[in-house]
Amino acid sequence: MATTQPGPGTAGPAVTRVDVGEAAEGYVEALIAQGVECLFLNPGTDTFPIQEALAKLESLGRPVPRTVLCLFETVALAAAHGYYAATGRPQAVLVHVDVGTQNLGGMVHNAQRGRAGVVIAAGRAPYTTDPAVRGSRDNFIHWLQEQSDQHGIVRNYVKWDYEMRRADQVGEVVARAFQIAASDPPGPVYLTLPREPLMERVGAIDIYQPERFRPAHIGAGDPEALREVARLLVAAERPVVLTGTTGRTEAGYRGLVRLAELLALPVVDWRERVNFPADHPLHQGDDPGTLLTEADLVLVLDQDVPYIPTRIQPAPGATVVQIGLDPIKERVPLWTFPVDLPIRADTGRALDLIADEATNLLTASDRERIAARQDALAARHEQLREAWQEAARAARQRPMGVAWVGHCLGQLLQEAPDCLVVDEMVTSNRAVWQQAPARQPGTWFGSGGSALGWGLGAALGVKLANPDRPVLSLVGDGCFVFGAPLAALWAMQTQSAPVLIVVLNNSCYNATKRPLVANYPEGYSVREDRFVGIDLLPAPRYDKMAETVGGYGERVEDPDEVLPALRRGLERVRAGQTVVLDMVLAHP
């Protein structure tokens, strides 16, 4: 039975008193109060009180999160990240003490850099050796797994970390964890849950109501600064927009389309999300090129690395405006990109206000100049498209170039516009982006970070968040292996969350090979065509892994079979079976 403590005024109760047996049940109740749909679990000897609480509460007819058992921790955190990217709602991850925390690996980096609101909880080695205390040490590993600072494993990467010290804290610390994870800029948090307080019999627990402990969100930004942006855009002769994750909200996507069309702004899109329709005449690809070097105004939206300064830079006299949740990248130790006007804002709210102000500033001569720019950019867009089409034709050979696979993926997505795409293609991404236009917001997801192995688990999370839509996971062969494929494929099958996995198999670590060749163009590696630690030959049969969990796999080498294989794979996914298509590409 639940009782409430009245809150101040008419806002409703801040705390609800819920009857439970042990504090572990309070943890589950607190997750439900926060709206958690999925608990991504890799268990250990310290998580069993929560597993028992889940079984008990479910048997009593009380709501519990869906338990998504993951055979390896990276899959769990990548899935929670993917779920958040698709919904904006933080989910929960539960792993085993220090060793489970370490197995989260690079996915913690991705959650940090990808601004994924995720609540990570881990057990902690028991404090006590008193047999009279429930949950005390009863296994040799409890001495080995205690660290001086378990939280130090992830403290560089999380927004907040805390250890639950008392059983009666459980509702409070869970509410605080979710509040901080979801506040702008969002990101991962870390909580440890020792066995002794989890197993303490408490009788009742305080559940903090999320509507009274809301996350803080950044608004539209300084109105005066937004007016200045509008003035600069209207006056600019050669503006350019560089965007990365503006399309994380539909409002950001719509706002950018409206502003770009109003002022004929060329949009250079790094597709972490669908920020702008790729077939729009103002879409100018993914490489800023001369648009940046000749620009008099650079508008950077939600981009952490807008360009590589050693390769390309804005003109010395260009004005740079940067708008985003974190316009000066406070958690990046050395970030020295020139920014004349940084504005901390949610672009989903700021862009419409800029467009409103710009509309009021436009004169007849401005509109004539903008119309001429619109025509020039539309012609440039067509030239890019023609070049990309030629690249696809040239890649239609055996062994295939990645552009041909991208072309076929573009055809598949045109035939099946309900598909969602999870992208971890790394060195193949630009070739595929050019061939597979993305048009609708919320249909394409990248990690935002650089740790490989994210794509499979993230696709699981996106699928769980969108059970009625097919999900494609586009991964390089290295990313496929890093993603703990057996664990990911098993979870997809057991959770009835089938995914179409397309492995872009170039049989090497191309992300390592490219800088080696660029820096040693006449070195021994190039001269002897011997690349130490790079070539993955003979290549594993990635398609065969699907069979181990009841999925379906195909190895595709003939370019004429790419689209038919994709169609067959999508049909099987719609029927409930996970598919791995091993696309054998030319060795770079």
Side-chain angles (χ1 to χ4, degrees), residues 166-186:
R166 294 164 48 101
D168 58 4
Q169 283 187 305
V170 63
E172 183 179 5
V173 297
V174 168
R176 181 63 171 159
F178 277 87
Q179 183 183 44
I180 294 177
S183 291
D184 286 335

Short mmCIF file of all heavy atoms in Angstrom, two decimals, residues 166-186:
data_model
loop_
_atom_site.label_atom_id
_atom_site.label_comp_id
_atom_site.label_asym_id
_atom_site.label_seq_id
_atom_site.Cartn_x
_atom_site.Cartn_y
_atom_site.Cartn_z
N ARG A 166 23.02 3.79 2.66
CA ARG A 166 21.96 3.37 3.59
C ARG A 166 20.77 2.86 2.81
O ARG A 166 20.46 3.35 1.72
CB ARG A 166 21.51 4.56 4.45
CG ARG A 166 22.54 5.10 5.41
CD ARG A 166 22.13 6.50 5.90
NE ARG A 166 20.75 6.54 6.35
CZ ARG A 166 20.37 6.50 7.64
NH1 ARG A 166 21.28 6.42 8.58
NH2 ARG A 166 19.08 6.56 7.96
N ALA A 167 20.09 1.89 3.35
CA ALA A 167 18.94 1.32 2.66
C ALA A 167 17.85 2.35 2.41
O ALA A 167 17.18 2.34 1.37
CB ALA A 167 18.39 0.15 3.47
N ASP A 168 17.65 3.26 3.35
CA ASP A 168 16.55 4.23 3.21
C ASP A 168 16.87 5.32 2.19
O ASP A 168 16.05 6.19 1.91
CB ASP A 168 16.17 4.84 4.55
CG ASP A 168 17.34 5.55 5.24
OD1 ASP A 168 18.43 5.64 4.63
OD2 ASP A 168 17.16 6.02 6.38
N GLN A 169 18.08 5.28 1.60
CA GLN A 169 18.45 6.26 0.56
C GLN A 169 18.01 5.85 -0.83
O GLN A 169 18.10 6.66 -1.75
CB GLN A 169 19.97 6.40 0.50
CG GLN A 169 20.64 7.21 1.57
CD GLN A 169 22.11 7.37 1.23
OE1 GLN A 169 22.80 6.39 1.02
NE2 GLN A 169 22.57 8.60 1.15
N VAL A 170 17.56 4.62 -1.02
CA VAL A 170 17.49 4.08 -2.38
C VAL A 170 16.61 4.92 -3.30
O VAL A 170 16.98 5.22 -4.43
CB VAL A 170 17.06 2.59 -2.36
CG1 VAL A 170 15.67 2.39 -1.79
CG2 VAL A 170 17.19 1.99 -3.75
N GLY A 171 15.44 5.33 -2.83
CA GLY A 171 14.58 6.15 -3.68
C GLY A 171 15.18 7.50 -3.98
O GLY A 171 15.06 8.02 -5.10
N GLU A 172 15.85 8.06 -2.99
CA GLU A 172 16.46 9.37 -3.15
C GLU A 172 17.60 9.34 -4.16
O GLU A 172 17.69 10.21 -5.04
CB GLU A 172 16.98 9.83 -1.79
CG GLU A 172 17.59 11.22 -1.77
CD GLU A 172 18.05 11.62 -0.38
OE1 GLU A 172 17.98 10.78 0.54
OE2 GLU A 172 18.48 12.77 -0.22
N VAL A 173 18.50 8.35 -4.06
CA VAL A 173 19.66 8.34 -4.96
C VAL A 173 19.25 8.00 -6.38
O VAL A 173 19.84 8.51 -7.34
CB VAL A 173 20.76 7.39 -4.45
CG1 VAL A 173 21.29 7.86 -3.11
CG2 VAL A 173 20.32 5.96 -4.40
N VAL A 174 18.24 7.16 -6.55
CA VAL A 174 17.78 6.85 -7.90
C VAL A 174 17.18 8.09 -8.55
O VAL A 174 17.45 8.40 -9.72
CB VAL A 174 16.79 5.67 -7.89
CG1 VAL A 174 16.09 5.54 -9.25
CG2 VAL A 174 17.50 4.38 -7.53
N ALA A 175 16.36 8.83 -7.80
CA ALA A 175 15.78 10.05 -8.35
C ALA A 175 16.86 11.06 -8.74
O ALA A 175 16.78 11.70 -9.79
CB ALA A 175 14.83 10.67 -7.33
N ARG A 176 17.87 11.18 -7.87
CA ARG A 176 18.95 12.11 -8.18
C ARG A 176 19.72 11.67 -9.42
O ARG A 176 20.08 12.49 -10.27
CB ARG A 176 19.90 12.20 -6.98
CG ARG A 176 21.06 13.17 -7.14
CD ARG A 176 20.57 14.59 -7.30
NE ARG A 176 21.68 15.53 -7.26
CZ ARG A 176 21.62 16.75 -7.76
NH1 ARG A 176 20.49 17.18 -8.35
NH2 ARG A 176 22.66 17.57 -7.69
N ALA A 177 19.96 10.37 -9.55
CA ALA A 177 20.68 9.85 -10.71
C ALA A 177 19.96 10.19 -12.01
O ALA A 177 20.58 10.67 -12.98
CB ALA A 177 20.87 8.34 -10.58
N PHE A 178 18.66 9.96 -12.05
CA PHE A 178 17.91 10.22 -13.28
C PHE A 178 17.79 11.72 -13.55
O PHE A 178 17.82 12.15 -14.71
CB PHE A 178 16.54 9.56 -13.21
CG PHE A 178 16.56 8.11 -13.59
CD1 PHE A 178 16.84 7.14 -12.63
CD2 PHE A 178 16.36 7.71 -14.89
CE1 PHE A 178 16.89 5.80 -12.97
CE2 PHE A 178 16.41 6.37 -15.24
CZ PHE A 178 16.69 5.41 -14.28
N GLN A 179 17.65 12.51 -12.50
CA GLN A 179 17.56 13.95 -12.70
C GLN A 179 18.82 14.50 -13.35
O GLN A 179 18.77 15.29 -14.30
CB GLN A 179 17.33 14.64 -11.35
CG GLN A 179 17.15 16.15 -11.45
CD GLN A 179 17.01 16.78 -10.07
OE1 GLN A 179 17.75 16.45 -9.14
NE2 GLN A 179 16.04 17.66 -9.93
N ILE A 180 19.98 14.04 -12.89
CA ILE A 180 21.23 14.55 -13.44
C ILE A 180 21.48 13.96 -14.83
O ILE A 180 21.93 14.67 -15.74
CB ILE A 180 22.40 14.24 -12.49
CG1 ILE A 180 22.23 15.03 -11.19
CG2 ILE A 180 23.74 14.56 -13.14
CD1 ILE A 180 23.28 14.74 -10.15
N ALA A 181 21.20 12.68 -15.03
CA ALA A 181 21.43 12.07 -16.34
C ALA A 181 20.64 12.76 -17.44
O ALA A 181 21.13 12.93 -18.56
CB ALA A 181 21.07 10.59 -16.30
N ALA A 182 19.42 13.18 -17.14
CA ALA A 182 18.55 13.76 -18.15
C ALA A 182 18.69 15.27 -18.29
O ALA A 182 18.18 15.84 -19.25
CB ALA A 182 17.09 13.42 -17.83
N SER A 183 19.39 15.94 -17.36
CA SER A 183 19.55 17.39 -17.44
C SER A 183 20.54 17.74 -18.56
O SER A 183 21.49 17.01 -18.83
CB SER A 183 20.05 17.94 -16.11
OG SER A 183 19.04 17.85 -15.11
N ASP A 184 20.32 18.88 -19.18
CA ASP A 184 21.17 19.31 -20.29
C ASP A 184 22.52 19.84 -19.81
O ASP A 184 22.58 20.58 -18.84
CB ASP A 184 20.48 20.41 -21.09
CG ASP A 184 19.34 19.91 -21.94
OD1 ASP A 184 19.37 18.72 -22.30
OD2 ASP A 184 18.43 20.69 -22.24
N PRO A 185 23.60 19.50 -20.51
CA PRO A 185 23.64 18.45 -21.53
C PRO A 185 23.56 17.08 -20.88
O PRO A 185 24.22 16.84 -19.86
CB PRO A 185 25.00 18.65 -22.21
CG PRO A 185 25.83 19.38 -21.21
CD PRO A 185 24.90 20.18 -20.36
N PRO A 186 22.74 16.17 -21.41
CA PRO A 186 22.56 14.86 -20.78
C PRO A 186 23.82 14.02 -20.85
O PRO A 186 24.75 14.31 -21.63
CB PRO A 186 21.43 14.23 -21.60
CG PRO A 186 21.51 14.92 -22.93
CD PRO A 186 21.99 16.31 -22.66
#
